[in-house]
Amino acid sequence: MINKLKNIFKKVYTVEAEKVFFAPGRVNLIGEHTDYNGGNVFPCAITFGTYALIRKRNDKIIRFYSDNFKELGIIDVNIDDMEYNSEHDWANYPKGVIWAFEKKGMKIDSGFDILFYGNIPNGAGLSSSASIEVATGVVLKDLYEFNIDMINIVKCSQEAENKFIGVNCGIMDQFAIGMGKKDCAMLLDTNTLKYEYANIVLDGASIVIANTNKRRGLADSKYNERRAECETALKDLQTVLKINSLCELNEEEFEKNRYLIKDEVCAKRAKHAIYENQRTLKAVKALENKDIDLFGKLMNQSHVSLRDDYEVTGIELDTLVEISWEMPGVIGSRMTGAGFGGCTVSIVKDEFVEDFIKNVGAEYKSKIGYTAEFYVAQIGDGARKL
Ligand code: GLA
């Protein structure tokens, strides 16, 4: 793979690449739409991700090329011109990270040629964009010897997404990609950024990711809408309660004070965030106690809540999950990521994985009209130089 990419680099830029970097994608096991509500998440990095090959230049030009978007060719940008430009398409992600670094005083004084290649399916909700962002951060640190640790690379990447791209995401994706660890998921408290790794020992079961192949069309605007609804609910609760985020409440405290939220839709959104946060903590406990069945049940409940209260699933995700629930050997199944299309994550007993892929695939195709794709996920390390 890397040699093939080095050859492509040489063809595109007529010089050899000097360095190679990798940033993974991520899958979230549980804790969805809690990360901008001060709650907990439980994601892991996967072994699919984004490769970045690079060579420093002596002038002030940065040239971006993605082997996933060959038709867009090389995108040239001057280092003094780090502004969002819709013509630059995907290159706005790495540009945004350079912009965020510069805002923190890390100015780059010369350009570079960079080639990206990602084997994460695009638009599948496995964070291909956060993967490009964190890869860029790791490249910048290495190339210009900036004194920045991984947590701050993660924060710059999130800032790029929020302020440069305009998607008000939380910190989960960038964090999982930067801080991932082989065979571990991480329980991250997004309020304090305290985190701990949990070994994922599923005792004869695997994590299976299934892509609905539904493009996440209006996802970004719907995402920002959900976030705004949570903020409205929080404001209503704050008229009486002294809280800074929704996830400071547990289920009982929420039910007692739910009447404060004027709009019923906003109350449902808040309910999801608060219950999901508690479910995440219960799920991690279940895993510690080696109670995989309980972990699976909590995953299923998470999906129901995302479907009915948060309303971010849709026919494709619901169909895929509901078919999965009926299959032998399935311990739990839910949508993962932002929703509105994208992927599901299931825990399936090893001896049933093959049949699961075959039978879920066939039933999905007959109900939805096109195929889903399946990946048995391996949990890998976070972003790094290769
Ligand atoms: C997207 C965002 C994350 C998180 C999830 C939902 O992946 O980038 O910050 O909010 O959706 O859990």
Side-chain angles (χ1 to χ4, degrees), residues 77-92:
V77 182
N78 190 293
I79 57 175
D80 296 322
D81 184 21
M82 281 307 138
E83 263 172 42
Y84 186 89
N85 179 343
S86 57
E87 278 169 26
H88 290 165
D89 204 79
W90 67 270
N92 282 301

Side-chain angles (χ1 to χ4, degrees), residues 26 28 31-36 127 169-173 223 337-338:
R26 68 95 188 90
N28 188 21
E32 218 65 84
H33 289 282
T34 50
D35 69 342
Y36 49 88
S127 290
C169 68
I171 201 165
M172 169 172 75
D173 302 347
Y223 183 93

Side-chain angles (χ1 to χ4, degrees), residues 20 28 44 99 163 183 267 272 276 282 320 368:
V20 184
N28 188 21
C44 44
W99 168 86
K163 309 241 171 80
D183 296 330
H272 164 77
E276 178 77 356
K282 287 176 198 157
L320 200 48
I368 297 294

Side-chain angles (χ1 to χ4, degrees), residues 24-35 39-47 125-127 130 154 170-190 193-200 207 209 276-277 279-281 283-284 287 295 299 302 334-338 345 347 377-382:
R26 68 95 188 90
V27 63
N28 188 21
L29 299 178
I30 194 161
E32 218 65 84
H33 289 282
T34 50
D35 69 342
N40 290 276
V41 292
F42 195 53
C44 44
I46 53 179
T47 50
L126 301 176
S127 290
V154 163
I171 201 165
M172 169 172 75
D173 302 347
Q174 290 81 4
F175 194 96
I177 288 166
M179 304 296 289
K181 191 165 147 189
K182 192 173 180 329
D183 296 330
C184 290
M186 51 210 116
L187 175 65
L188 167 67
D189 178 341
T190 60
L193 290 193
K194 282 209 179 109
Y195 62 98
E196 57 192 71
Y197 292 106
N199 235 307
I200 299 293
I207 300 171
I209 297 173
E276 178 77 356
N277 182 44
R279 253 193 303 275
T280 305
L281 296 171
V284 176
L287 207 62
F295 190 88
M299 286 176 79
S302 164
R334 58 182 286 276
M335 60 150 271
T336 183
V345 58
I347 304 209
Q378 312 288 337
I379 305 180
D381 283 318

